[in-house]
Amino acid sequence: MNIISIEELRKSYHDSEVAVHALNGINLIIEKGEFTAIVGSSGSGKTTLLNMIGGLDSPDSGCIRIGDVDITSMKSHKLIDFRLRNIGFVFQSFNLIPVLTAFENVEFIMNLQGVKKEERRKRSTELLDAVGLGKRLHSRPSKLSGGQQQRVAVARALASHPRFILADEPTANLDSVSARNLLEIMDKLNQDEQITYIFSTHDQRVVNKAHRVIVLEDGMVVRDE
Amino acid sequence: MDVILIAWRNLWRNKRRTLITATSVFFAIWFALIMRAFQLGSYDLMVNNIVHSYSGYFQVHARGYWDHKLLDNGFIYNVKLKNALDSSAGTYGYALRLESFALASYGLQTRGVMVDGIDPVAENRLTSLKKKLVNGRYLDPFDSGALVSHRLATHLKIHIDDTLVIIGQGYHGYSAAGVFPVRGIVNFPSPNLDGRLVLISLSAARNLFSADSMLTSIAFNVKDPDSYNKAAIQLRDRLDPGNYEVLTWDEMMPDVVQQIRADSVSGLIMLGILYMIVGFGIFGTMLMMLNERSREFGMMVAIGVQKSKLTLIMLAEILFLGLLGIVAGVVAAIPPIYYFYIHPITLTGKMADSMIHMGFEPLMPAAWRVSYFIAQSSVVLAIICIVMLLPVLKIRKLEVINALQH
């Protein structure tokens, strides 16, 4: 079942009058339950592609469909709402709202979705348990390690029952133990609950875990295996 | 609920900055309230001195009397006029007067004075004259004695039961001369009045000035001091404008009104400067808050927080910050303002001399009005609301990608 279909996606940036083609006609289909890693050297276009899929940036041309919805033609506020209900994000750093506890960060997303209080509380606790932070529910991000913060971010990303999770170099700022833990949790969730992940990464450990690896070069897919 | 919770916690992310900004608002509102309270208190005192010591809220004269204060410009007090006055709405009693200038003498001292023939009972209702008595007794309705103002008595070196000689000109050029035993000494807050007023009964004044049935003015008190203009207009409509003029205290004393306005404007300019400094202070804090949290805003919009909600969070933060300073400032200003409202500062030395010279009581009371606290707080809130436009615009223009890369 196709979750994401991308057709002829193009994006250029103008840097001092020189056009940089960040994405140069990308065609991709991502299916439910895939654990996909997008790799490539710096400037290959992987972050731009991830931003486009997440509806954070708009393409010059081409089309991105999430399910049946073409997100490239959506208005800003509708796109924000679409992201809230369909996409989970795990960023490289500064993932969490610093003034909210781990529990509140996870609950916050469901609150935005209008989920009832009881259900919010139950799911927040379950998710934080699932990522191994059942005992740190009421810790603020500043009291958590980088790895723990990323695990809270994963729990938060899952809170909204998204169609897929976008993770932009989630292990880049983590030590090897934390990175391994995070990947194991994400892998487990992928296997147990068919969560779809799309990673942009340089990390070989992520690549090793991935079921599918897409290699980008100069804004084009040069390998998809 | 999320908005309030996040805004409140955000406020304390940088405690020192929040406290510094809230303190700047606190001091601005505190200084503004104290400064303005003394300014308004002084104006109230001035007006109070004028209205409750002598002029009343408005007066009825024969047309043209106020421009040429001569006995010959007085008027006959008849039944028709009395009926019109008695049925005027919004008034709270009136006092009949026959006033003229004369020379007052005792021993070797002589001084130009204003002789004011009054109805002692009505006058007391209007100006609480009896309370101003510092020595002797008050006048009876048909008393043949006089009340002498305190400064004048000091100058003339006259005391209770001494005889004051008054010489002047009566109605239509009659000579006016009389002797009046001093019944009492009265102290007027206004130094100007206190240095030149002799009060005798209306009947004695009519005899002195050969002005039977005549009056020069009728002074009115009103039920609601804020609507004296309305009462004056209503009475003006009842009286023949060809024969009578009805003038409010501010129309009779435009120089005082002008003086209050000029002084008030200078005070408002000071307040404006104070508030501008505070406005820029809050603006600076907010600019810092916005810039250092660009990435956080980007992340929040990315995960699904609408910009409108983000704006609300920022607005709530600024509002909390402002309210913190405003509430603390108002609470801290209440005790000193109330204290100085009850116990005005008594000016001494050159400052007191200059006040007396200008004809005012050398006191500095603070005004005590709820409306004024609300007004000052509202001004600061309005400034905060203007400053709030910045986050509204900034968040509206927020580009998630740029913010995340910040």
Side-chain angles (χ1 to χ4, degrees):
Chain A
M1 183 180 146
N2 293 351
I3 284 188
I4 304 165
S5 18
I6 299 169
E7 290 167 24
E8 279 304 307
L9 200 65
R10 290 176 194 277
K11 178 76 178 179
S12 306
Y13 296 106
H14 293 271
D15 186 13
S16 319
E17 296 178 10
V18 180
V20 179
H21 300 290
L23 296 179
N24 212 348
I26 302 266
N27 291 290
L28 273 179
I29 287 176
I30 309 277
E31 293 192 359
K32 184 172 169 57
E34 279 189 5
F35 194 114
T36 306
I38 299 172
V39 296
S41 55
S42 273
S44 61
K46 54 187 189 302
T47 299
T48 305
L49 178 59
L50 220 65
N51 288 339
M52 299 274 172
I53 297 170
L56 303 178
D57 203 356
S58 54
D60 295 338
S61 65
C63 169
I64 302 168
R65 277 204 180 77
I66 296 177
D68 296 331
V69 181
D70 179 3
I71 63 165
T72 50
S73 56
M74 270 183 151
K75 287 195 173 170
S76 170
H77 69 280
K78 285 197 170 169
L79 198 52
I80 293 173
D81 195 56
F82 185 83
R83 283 200 297 265
L84 172 68
R85 294 172 196 287
N86 294 280
I87 310 172
F89 286 90
V90 180
F91 299 102
Q92 184 177 335
S93 62
F94 210 88
N95 255 316
L96 305 173
I97 298 170
V99 293
L100 298 183
T101 62
F103 180 85
E104 288 166 341
N105 262 286
V106 178
E107 193 193 19
F108 181 66
I109 289 291
M110 288 183 276
N111 195 10
L112 290 176
Q113 287 182 311
V115 177
K116 284 183 181 166
K117 194 174 180 180
E118 286 307 310
E119 197 184 329
R120 279 191 334 240
R121 298 206 155 179
K122 187 168 170 270
R123 184 159 170 79
S124 302
T125 312
E126 282 171 3
L127 285 168
L128 284 165
D129 268 340
V131 296
L133 290 171
K135 289 182 178 167
R136 304 300 303 272
L137 298 183
H138 303 295
S139 300
R140 290 220 187 158
S142 58
K143 302 287 178 194
L144 298 173
S145 68
Q148 288 171 327
Q149 286 186 40
Q150 288 299 62
R151 281 190 270 157
V152 176
V154 171
R156 184 187 63 189
L158 290 165
S160 60
H161 295 289
R163 290 178 187 225
F164 59 91
I165 290 177
L166 291 174
D168 187 10
E169 311 218 22
T171 55
N173 292 338
L174 302 183
D175 59 70
S176 58
V177 177
S178 301
R180 196 174 58 238
N181 283 342
L182 182 74
L183 286 173
E184 276 170 10
I185 288 164
M186 292 174 99
D187 190 29
K188 189 171 183 301
L189 288 166
N190 171 255
Q191 284 173 18
D192 295 352
E193 298 182 29
Q194 286 285 292
I195 304 290
T196 309
Y197 290 104
I198 304 165
F199 285 83
S200 134
T201 187
H202 283 110
D203 191 337
Q204 195 54 44
R205 288 166 300 194
V206 178
V207 177
N208 292 341
K209 286 268 179 199
H211 309 154
R212 181 179 174 188
V213 178
I214 297 166
V215 183
L216 291 188
E217 207 175 288
D218 297 330
M220 289 185 288
V221 176
V222 292
R223 210 169 72 215
D224 186 353
E225 55 191 26
Chain B
M1 184 57 199
D2 270 347
V3 171
I4 306 288
L5 178 79
I6 295 175
W8 181 252
R9 287 191 189 167
N10 273 332
L11 206 59
W12 302 106
R13 274 163 81 170
N14 192 332
K15 284 193 188 82
R16 193 179 301 173
R17 186 176 58 200
T18 297
L19 288 175
I20 289 171
T21 312
T23 305
S24 75
V25 176
F26 165 85
F27 276 115
I29 196 133
W30 192 82
F31 278 123
L33 283 170
I34 298 277
M35 194 176 89
R36 197 74 181 145
F38 277 114
Q39 215 172 11
L40 294 177
S42 303
Y43 304 154
D44 286 350
L45 181 70
M46 266 187 216
V47 173
N48 214 37
N49 279 352
I50 291 165
V51 170
H52 292 292
S53 288
Y54 189 68
S55 75
Y57 283 95
F58 57 89
Q59 290 188 0
V60 174
H61 311 126
R63 172 146 295 282
Y65 172 79
W66 195 251
D67 292 333
H68 303 285
K69 294 184 193 71
L70 303 171
L71 264 180
D72 292 352
N73 291 335
F75 58 97
I76 302 285
Y77 181 58
N78 53 31
V79 176
K80 194 180 163 194
L81 178 60
K82 185 178 185 307
N83 289 340
L85 301 184
D86 286 342
S87 59
S88 62
T91 59
Y92 187 64
Y94 54 87
L96 310 177
R97 289 173 184 166
L98 181 69
E99 299 155 315
S100 188
F101 294 94
L103 284 175
S105 182
Y106 177 72
L108 296 174
Q109 309 295 325
T110 304
R111 191 146 193 166
V113 298
M114 188 162 87
V115 178
D116 195 356
I118 58 167
D119 170 350
V121 177
E123 192 68 33
N124 188 46
R125 272 203 302 266
L126 181 81
T127 62
S128 306
L129 186 58
K130 219 174 199 173
K131 283 187 189 163
K132 298 183 179 83
L133 201 66
V134 289
N135 206 356
R137 69 164 175 85
Y138 193 60
L139 293 179
D140 295 328
F142 297 97
D143 210 307
S144 56
L147 297 177
V148 180
S149 58
H150 185 253
R151 277 165 207 263
L152 177 64
T154 308
H155 182 82
L156 294 175
K157 296 181 179 130
I158 198 165
H159 301 98
I160 302 297
D161 293 336
D162 289 343
T163 302
L164 183 72
V165 178
I166 291 178
I167 301 169
Q169 187 178 300
Y171 187 55
H172 281 176
Y174 278 87
S175 70
V179 287
F180 298 88
V182 176
R183 304 278 191 234
I185 307 292
V186 279
N187 192 0
F188 285 91
S190 159
N192 190 26
L193 283 178
D194 204 39
R196 64 182 182 128
L197 204 57
V198 173
L199 297 134
I200 56 178
S201 67
L202 187 59
S203 57
R206 281 172 172 165
N207 277 337
L208 174 69
F209 294 119
S210 309
D212 197 26
S213 302
M214 290 208 63
L215 297 175
T216 51
S217 62
I218 304 172
F220 282 82
N221 208 344
V222 291
K223 287 173 187 160
D224 175 14
D226 292 330
S227 59
Y228 66 88
N229 259 318
K230 199 176 155 193
I233 289 167
Q234 280 177 352
L235 182 60
R236 201 172 284 158
D237 291 342
R238 287 171 165 270
L239 299 177
D240 175 6
N243 291 330
Y244 301 103
E245 63 188 15
V246 180
L247 298 177
T248 57
W249 73 265
D250 43 337
E251 285 169 330
M252 289 186 282
M253 277 156 270
D255 47 338
V256 174
V257 177
Q258 205 59 37
Q259 192 179 342
I260 288 175
R261 271 190 199 148
D263 195 69
S264 182
V265 166
S266 71
L268 289 175
I269 290 171
M270 281 295 292
L271 286 185
I273 293 169
L274 200 63
Y275 287 147
M276 235 165 71
I277 293 169
V278 173
F280 278 112
I282 300 172
F283 185 80
T285 302
M286 201 164 53
L287 214 57
M288 274 190 276
M289 281 159 79
L290 284 169
N291 282 338
E292 71 189 18
R293 279 159 57 190
S294 276
R295 197 179 159 84
E296 183 182 327
F297 292 159
M299 177 268 291
M300 288 175 80
V301 175
I303 63 171
V305 180
Q306 289 289 353
K307 287 180 178 177
S308 54
K309 185 147 191 162
L310 200 54
T311 307
L312 275 180
I313 293 172
M314 274 308 289
L315 296 186
E317 277 180 50
I318 302 297
L319 207 60
F320 282 148
L321 189 64
L323 284 176
L324 212 63
I326 291 171
V327 171
V330 169
V331 168
I334 286 173
I337 289 176
Y338 190 71
Y339 179 82
F340 289 115
Y341 167 69
I342 301 291
H343 308 284
I345 297 172
T346 305
L347 299 175
T348 54
K350 283 184 180 171
M351 201 174 258
D353 292 343
S354 112
M355 290 288 281
I356 293 166
H357 182 73
M358 285 189 288
F360 299 117
E361 210 178 350
L363 287 178
M364 248 178 86
W368 180 256
R369 299 180 202 159
V370 175
S371 62
Y372 145 75
F373 283 100
I374 293 169
Q376 296 294 316
S377 306
S378 305
V379 170
V380 177
L381 262 182
I383 291 169
I384 290 168
C385 288
I386 292 168
V387 176
M388 277 176 173
L389 288 174
L390 182 73
V392 173
L393 295 174
K394 193 116 180 171
I395 292 171
R396 208 173 145 189
K397 287 184 177 174
L398 182 93
E399 295 283 346
V400 181
I401 290 294
N402 294 340
L404 284 170
Q405 287 165 354
H406 199 268

